[in-house]
Amino acid sequence: MRVFLTALLLGALGLPLLALEPPSGLQAADTPNDEGNSLTISWDKSPQDQGDADRFKGYQILRSESQEGPFAEVGFAIGGKTEFRDNVEPLKPYYYRVVAISPEDSAGTAAVGPALATAQWFDSSRANVLILTVLICFLIIWYIERAKRGEELFIRKIQGLDAVDEAVGRSTELGKPIMFSFGLGEIKDIVTVAALAILRQVAVRCAQHGTELLVPNWDPLVMAAAQETVQQAYSEPGRPDLYKEGNVSFLTSDQFGYAAGVDGMMLRQKPGAVFFMGYFYAEALLMSETGHSIGAIQIAGTTAITQLPFFIASCDYTLIGEEMLAASCYLKKDPQMLGSLKGEDFVKAFLIVGFALAALWGTTGHLLFKAGHPWMQGVFQAVKNWFVTG
Amino acid sequence: MMQIIGTWIAAGLTLAIFSFLYKDNPFYKFAEHLYVGVSAAYAILYVLYFDVKPLLVDKFISEQGGERWILLVPAAFGLMMLARWIPKVSWLSRWSIALTVGIAAGLGITGQIQGILLPQIRGTLVPLTTVNNVLMVVGVISTLIYFYFSAAHKGALRYGARLGMVFIMMAFGASFGYTVMARISLLIGRLHFLVYEWLRLVK
C-alpha cells in the first residue's frame, strides 16, 4: 500500500518512476564513404528518452584507446539522437561508451570496440556522378575521334557571328581601334577559354585589315594567355609586325577600378567596335553603357546569367550562355571543341526526351496512385532519388 | 581631423566619378587614374601578404619533411610566369597556364555534374499535376531545344526554340528588374554618404 501511494505521488509530481536506463544496442563502426577519419557511434534510445528536455538531457559520448579506459568525453548528443560521428585518426583502435544523462542521474553502457576508421576508395553515394561523368566523357571523346577522322559534324550557324566581321570592317573604315574585354573571368573559367578562341578570330581579322586591337585585362594570367593568342593570330595572315604587346595590357584586379579604366580607355581612344566576351559581374553595364554612348558597335557573350539582361539591353548582339562556347567552336572548327559540343548536344537531346517521358510517367503514376496503384509512382520516385543519393 | 579630411577626399572623388555622367573631364581622369593605380598596387600587396607570404614563405619555414619541398613545385610554376619577361624562355609561362586550365577543367567536370546538372535534373522530374510544374517542364525542354546546336532551327525545332527564347527572356526580364533595384540601393548608399556624412544636411 505504501509503495503504491509513493508511486502515485511521484507520478502526480511528474517524476520518473524508474531508475535511468542506459541506451542499448551500442555500436561503433567505420563511417562509410569517407577518407578514413571518422567513426560512427550508434545506439537505441534509452527508455527514459521521451523527448522531454527537462527530464532527459542527452547522451555523453566517451572514448578510450583501450577497453579498460580511461574514457574521455568526445561529444554530446541531445535527447532523441541515436548517432554520433567522431573524428579520429585512421587505422587506430578506439573503444566507446555512451552515458545517458538526466538532471538527477546518469547511466552508461559497457565499452564496445575496437573500431578502426578506414578510407574507402569509392564513395558509393556519388555513383550517379561517376556514371554521368563516364557517359558524358565517353560521348565527348567519341565525337572528338569522329571529328579527328575528318567527319563533317554539323553545327548550326550562331546568330551574331557575322557581326564579328561587320564590326571589324566598320572599325577599319572609320580608322578606329577595336576593344576586347574578358571581364572578370579567370583563366580557369571555361568561358574565358572560349573567349580566347573568339579573340583569336577577331585578332586575325584585325591583322588582315591592319586595325589596332586593345585588350585591357583584369587577370594577369588571362593577360598572358591573351598576349599569346593575339601574337599567334597576327602571325597567321603574315602580319606579326603589327602586334603590339602593350595593347594587351593589365589594368587592375579591382572590379570597379577595372571598369573605370576600361571606360576611360573607351572615351579617349573611341573604339569603333567593342567585344565583351567572358565572365562579367556588376561592371558589365557600366562598360557597355559607355561603349553605347561613344557609338561603338558592341558584341557581348557571357555565361553570367545576371549580366546577360544588361548586355541584351545595351549591346548590338549578344551570345547567350552556351551560344558563346558554340560560337568559338563554329569559328575554330577544332576537332576537340567540336567533339565537346556534339557530346553535350547528345546529352541535351537525351535530357529533352527523358524529361518529356518522365513527365508523362510521373503524371500517369500520380493518377494511378490516387486510384490505388502505387507502383508507377514508386518507380518515378526511385529514379528521382537516384539523382540525389546515387 | 583626419576623419574630416578623409570624408572630404571621399566626397571629392565621388563627385569626380559622378562628373563622368556629364562627359569625360580632368576630374574624372584624375579619379580614374588614382583608382586604377591604387587598386592595382593594393592587389599586388594583397597577393604578397595573403597568398605568397602565408602560403609559401611562412609555410616553407615552418613545415618539416617532404611537405616542405612540395611547396617548391607551385613556387616554380609561379616563377615560370615571370619567364615572360625573357623572350628566349617566355614559352615556360605556358606550362603554368596549362596547369591552371587543366586542373580547373578536371575539377570542374565533377563539380558541374554534381552541383548543377544533377540537382537540375532532379528538380525537373515532376508530374504535370500543377500549372507550375507544367511551366517548368515546358520551359526547361524548350530552352534546351534553343541551345541545341546540332540541328538547324527549322520545322518543329523552330517553334520549340522560339518558345525557349520566350522563357529565357522572361527570366532575363525578372533578373533585370531585380538587379536594377540592387544598383539603385548602391546609388542611395553614395547619396546617403554625401548628404549625411559630408554635407550633413540631415542629422
Side-chain angles (χ1 to χ4, degrees):
Chain A
M1 186 63 183
R2 188 182 291 170
V3 172
F4 175 74
L5 286 173
T6 308
L8 200 65
L9 184 64
L10 287 170
L13 291 171
L15 296 173
L17 299 176
L18 299 168
L20 182 64
E21 292 176 53
S24 55
L26 177 64
Q27 287 183 326
D30 176 38
T31 305
N33 301 320
D34 74 344
E35 296 170 351
N37 50 16
S38 77
L39 291 168
T40 301
I41 324 303
S42 60
W43 58 87
D44 296 326
K45 285 195 291 185
S46 162
Q48 281 73 41
D49 182 1
Q50 299 295 331
D52 186 346
D54 292 332
R55 294 186 186 178
F56 189 87
K57 295 292 181 193
Y59 303 96
Q60 192 181 30
I61 319 297
L62 305 174
R63 185 180 76 194
S64 172
E65 289 175 20
S66 78
Q67 195 158 16
E68 292 76 30
F71 283 85
E73 183 176 349
V74 289
F76 190 87
I78 58 168
K81 296 275 179 191
T82 57
E83 201 175 274
F84 178 80
R85 186 175 287 193
D86 186 24
N87 293 328
V88 294
E89 286 180 40
L91 300 171
K92 197 171 175 181
Y94 290 100
Y95 295 84
Y96 287 90
R97 288 181 63 218
V98 173
V99 181
I101 307 283
S102 73
E104 303 86 21
D105 203 1
S106 66
T109 63
V112 297
L116 276 82
T118 54
Q120 279 73 51
W121 280 94
F122 186 72
D123 183 351
S124 59
S125 68
R126 293 175 69 186
N128 49 12
V129 178
L130 176 73
I131 290 169
L132 281 178
T133 305
V134 170
L135 182 72
I136 291 170
C137 288
F138 169 76
L139 286 169
I140 288 173
I141 292 168
W142 185 52
Y143 274 110
I144 287 173
E145 290 304 316
R146 283 177 61 180
K148 276 183 182 171
R149 285 199 298 268
E151 198 175 320
E152 194 68 35
L153 297 177
F154 175 79
I155 290 182
R156 71 172 166 85
K157 194 164 190 185
I158 313 295
Q159 284 181 343
L161 272 186
D162 286 340
V164 173
D165 288 341
E166 187 190 327
V168 178
R170 187 171 163 227
S171 280
T172 308
E173 282 171 16
L174 294 169
K176 290 180 172 182
I178 286 169
M179 182 177 273
F180 194 104
S181 169
F182 291 97
L184 305 193
E186 295 180 28
I187 193 69
K188 62 186 184 192
D189 299 327
I190 299 303
V191 68
T192 306
V193 178
L196 282 167
I198 295 173
L199 172 67
R200 180 188 151 276
Q201 180 74 9
V202 172
V204 168
R205 292 278 184 271
C206 286
Q208 284 168 343
H209 297 299
T211 312
E212 196 171 13
L213 177 62
L214 308 168
V215 189
N217 287 279
W218 172 84
D219 183 77
L221 278 176
V222 175
M223 181 201 73
Q227 283 177 342
E228 293 275 344
T229 305
V230 175
Q231 192 173 14
Q232 282 181 18
Y234 271 71
S235 301
E236 275 184 40
R239 299 303 304 271
D241 54 303
L242 290 178
Y243 170 68
K244 291 178 196 164
E245 196 175 80
N247 280 354
V248 186
S249 58
F250 173 71
L251 266 185
T252 171
S253 290
D254 180 82
Q255 181 186 14
F256 292 109
Y258 176 73
V262 170
D263 283 354
M265 283 175 75
M266 278 190 207
L267 284 172
R268 273 149 237 149
Q269 309 214 28
K270 299 231 179 321
V274 182
F275 291 85
F276 297 109
M277 298 282 169
Y279 205 86
F280 293 81
Y281 295 88
E283 75 288 349
L285 187 60
L286 294 174
M287 299 194 302
S288 55
E289 268 297 304
T290 308
H292 180 74
S293 73
I294 58 165
I297 183 168
Q298 297 195 104
I299 302 170
T302 183
T303 52
I305 295 167
T306 52
Q307 302 309 320
L308 274 166
F310 296 110
F311 279 142
I312 290 168
S314 58
C315 294
D316 298 273
Y317 298 96
T318 305
L319 299 171
I320 301 168
E322 209 184 349
E323 273 187 329
M324 191 193 160
L325 312 180
S328 62
C329 297
Y330 188 86
L331 290 169
K332 208 173 175 186
K333 300 282 184 198
D334 177 69
Q336 287 181 335
M337 294 175 87
L338 270 176
S340 304
L341 190 72
K342 294 295 283 188
E344 282 176 31
D345 265 4
F346 192 97
V347 175
K348 275 181 240 164
F350 181 78
L351 287 177
I352 289 168
V353 176
F355 284 145
L357 291 176
L360 289 175
W361 183 284
T363 311
T364 314
H366 182 79
L367 295 173
L368 284 175
F369 180 78
K370 282 191 168 176
H373 305 285
W375 70 273
M376 261 184 108
Q377 175 95 329
V379 172
F380 182 73
Q381 204 57 42
V383 170
K384 195 171 173 174
N385 288 340
W386 184 82
F387 285 101
V388 181
T389 58
Chain B
M1 185 61 189
M2 287 305 288
Q3 195 182 351
I4 294 170
I5 294 170
T7 305
W8 274 85
I9 290 172
L13 289 173
T14 303
L15 291 176
I17 293 285
F18 276 168
S19 70
F20 178 74
L21 292 170
Y22 170 59
K23 67 173 189 179
D24 191 24
N25 61 74
F27 297 108
Y28 174 74
K29 243 181 238 180
F30 172 74
E32 175 210 326
H33 286 107
L34 187 73
Y35 192 9
V36 171
V38 168
S39 58
Y42 178 78
I44 290 167
L45 284 176
Y46 187 90
V47 169
L48 275 176
Y49 282 96
F50 291 96
D51 288 337
V52 178
K53 190 173 176 290
L55 299 176
L56 182 67
V57 180
D58 292 351
K59 244 186 165 182
F60 186 78
I61 294 165
S62 63
E63 288 282 348
Q64 299 293 323
E67 285 183 25
R68 181 184 196 189
W69 302 108
I70 285 174
L71 290 169
L72 293 180
V73 177
F77 276 105
L79 287 173
M80 280 181 189
M81 278 307 296
L82 303 179
R84 295 189 62 77
W85 285 334
I86 309 160
K88 275 189 178 176
V89 289
S90 64
W91 54 271
L92 278 172
S93 64
R94 291 180 200 164
W95 287 22
S96 308
I97 296 171
L99 185 83
T100 313
V101 174
I103 288 173
L107 289 174
I109 290 173
T110 49
Q112 293 286 317
I113 289 174
Q114 190 177 7
I116 295 176
L117 186 62
L118 282 171
Q120 288 198 354
I121 291 174
R122 187 182 186 273
T124 314
L125 293 178
V126 289
L128 304 177
T129 49
T130 64
V131 176
N132 271 350
N133 286 359
V134 173
L135 281 175
M136 188 167 68
V137 172
V138 173
V140 170
I141 290 176
S142 57
T143 304
L144 279 172
I145 291 172
Y146 178 81
F147 285 110
Y148 188 71
F149 300 105
S150 293
H153 285 168
K154 288 178 184 168
L157 279 183
R158 185 173 158 223
Y159 295 107
R162 277 194 178 180
L163 184 60
M165 182 46 86
V166 170
F167 275 99
I168 292 168
M169 286 304 155
M170 281 161 63
F172 284 163
S175 174
F176 189 92
Y178 181 77
T179 315
V180 165
M181 290 291 283
R183 299 291 165 81
I184 287 174
S185 76
L186 288 175
L187 174 67
I188 291 169
R190 288 323 293 166
L191 293 177
H192 186 276
F193 165 76
L194 292 175
V195 173
Y196 280 79
E197 292 182 40
W198 181 49
L199 296 173
R200 296 176 189 267
L201 292 174
V202 183
K203 288 188 178 176

